Amino acid sequence: MSLILNSKKNSLIVHVGGDFDLVSANEFREKIDQSLEETLCQNLLLDLAKATFIDSSGLGVILGRFRKIKANDGQMIIYGPKPAIKKVFEVSGILSLMPVCNTEEEAWKILEKKTFKGA
Amino acid sequence: MDKIVNNKIKLEFLSKGENVALARITIAALVSQLELTLNDLEEIKVAVSEAVSNAIIHGYRNQPEGIVTLIGILAEETIYLEIIDQGIGISDIEKAMEPAYSTDPERTGLGFVFMQSFMDEVKVESKVNSGTKVSLTKKINTENKNRAVS
Ligand SMILES: Nc1ncnc2c1ncn2[C@@H]1O[C@H](COP(=O)(O)OP(=O)(O)OP(=O)(O)O)[C@@H](O)[C@H]1O
Ligand SMILES: [Mg+2]
């Protein structure tokens, strides 16, 4: 499992690699929250292109961050999940809460549109 | 040359988070002895992950010295899995299995939702202060199997 964090244009970009389960969830939650505080980013882009697995522990982290971002009037967008992970998203109902798209480029487009509408 | 695969494994491990991946990989290797689709395989991995995580997080309250027992059985086209803990048990099983119900405010109550969506049958037996046994059953689609073989 791996976690890479970058920030750009008021957005924290989180690249998750490997299995997003109980063990990685605890670590990722802490690191993402710490980074959100340090960078003061309002939005969160979650890159799951290199994520190989997710279960309810990973989803819990995603939903928890979503609530934080929303409370701060930001946007959260997920991109790149492989079909098996998308299936988990479908069952969980998360797709009605935040956009899930294929590439980072698409994510930025959605973000710009949403930020513009919200302004 | 349709062969009936019959196999059984039993694994006991400490209630440590690291062992969730171990359980998942073990069961993935076992069920791969059947010719199942990638989709079925991924669904089984999620279900195992949920049941084992629950045993560790809830059953043993994140204490790493409990023993989780994992049983996997292949009988023709059916996969039977059992995840057993000797933890705190569940007082109201029906309620525990309701979508979005969780006794942990940090969690979302989706574990049983995934087990039920991804397996054909989910059975929970539990006794407070004695432990919990989750039985999961999935029948592999023979149509898919035949297509994958040809
Ligand atoms: N092995 C177990 N031992 C004791 N209680 C359990 C066990 N498995 C489940 N439970 C109880 O059932 C509830 C629902 O379980 P479920 O997996 O659906 O949700 P969760 O674990 O709380 O959240 P999530 O799975 O989304 O992280 C748990 O909150 C817990 O109270
Ligand atoms: Mg659970």
Side-chain angles (χ1 to χ4, degrees):
Chain A
M1 65 190 188
S2 68
L3 187 74
I4 301 169
L5 302 156
N6 302 307
S7 64
K8 191 167 131 188
K9 292 195 240 173
N10 198 23
S11 304
L12 183 69
I13 309 157
V14 179
H15 306 274
V16 168
D19 289 358
F20 200 175
D21 69 357
L22 178 55
V23 177
S24 40
N26 290 329
E27 188 188 321
F28 291 177
R29 182 189 301 114
E30 262 174 51
K31 289 197 172 152
I32 295 169
D33 283 354
Q34 193 189 340
S35 203
L36 281 174
E37 272 172 40
E38 280 169 10
T39 60
L40 299 173
C41 285
Q42 222 178 347
N43 307 310
L44 199 158
L45 301 191
L46 181 62
D47 171 14
L48 293 182
K50 293 208 167 76
T52 45
F53 176 86
I54 196 164
D55 63 15
S56 67
S57 296
L59 269 170
V61 172
I62 294 180
L63 288 166
R65 287 344 87 195
F66 174 74
R67 281 192 286 269
K68 275 201 171 191
I69 294 290
K70 278 287 149 189
N72 195 25
D73 293 324
Q75 302 292 338
M76 180 163 169
I77 300 166
I78 298 174
Y79 66 91
K82 65 183 193 103
I85 292 182
K86 236 186 209 161
K87 183 95 184 272
V88 171
F89 286 164
E90 274 162 26
V91 173
S92 73
I94 204 176
L95 297 176
S96 62
L97 294 177
M98 65 194 100
V100 177
C101 60
N102 293 317
T103 63
E104 183 176 341
E105 202 186 333
E106 281 175 62
W108 283 113
K109 275 201 192 120
I110 295 169
L111 183 64
E112 271 153 35
K113 233 194 242 165
K114 285 205 161 225
T115 317
F116 182 67
K117 246 201 285 181
Chain B
M1 58 154 284
D2 250 2
K3 265 192 221 144
I4 294 165
V5 183
N6 278 302
N7 203 352
K8 173 171 177 173
I9 63 150
K10 181 176 175 185
L11 184 67
E12 288 188 346
F13 51 86
L14 285 176
S15 48
K16 300 176 99 163
E18 291 83 344
N19 288 334
V20 177
L22 182 96
R24 207 162 54 222
I25 292 161
T26 303
I27 292 302
L30 175 73
V31 300
S32 295
Q33 294 174 358
L34 297 174
E35 279 156 59
L36 77 180
T37 62
L38 194 60
N39 191 40
D40 281 337
L41 180 65
E42 292 296 334
E43 293 187 351
I44 293 163
K45 279 165 69 184
V46 175
V48 171
S49 207
E50 296 301 342
V52 173
S53 296
N54 279 352
I56 295 171
I57 300 165
H58 305 296
Y60 293 119
R61 296 183 186 274
N62 289 308
Q63 298 305 305
E65 54 275 339
I67 300 283
V68 180
T69 306
L70 173 68
I71 294 170
I73 299 167
L74 307 181
E76 300 193 29
E77 268 86 42
T78 308
I79 295 163
Y80 300 93
L81 305 173
E82 287 181 8
I83 298 89
I84 303 155
D85 68 68
Q86 273 93 50
I88 62 164
I90 305 173
S91 55
D92 188 341
I93 295 173
E94 217 175 293
K95 186 152 200 188
M97 291 178 83
E98 276 173 19
Y101 175 83
S102 178
T103 46
D104 182 341
E106 294 275 300
R107 305 212 148 254
T108 34
L110 286 171
F112 280 122
V113 174
F114 290 142
M115 286 184 249
Q116 282 168 324
S117 311
F118 293 155
M119 302 297 284
D120 294 326
E121 210 181 298
V122 180
K123 200 170 102 195
V124 181
E125 293 157 80
S126 190
K127 217 173 137 192
V128 174
N129 293 326
S130 166
T132 301
K133 174 163 119 181
V134 175
S135 310
L136 305 169
T137 309
K138 191 178 180 83
K139 209 167 149 46
I140 297 307
N141 196 334
T142 14
E143 247 173 71
N144 284 343
K145 186 183 154 188
N146 288 341
R147 229 181 289 140
V149 168
S150 62

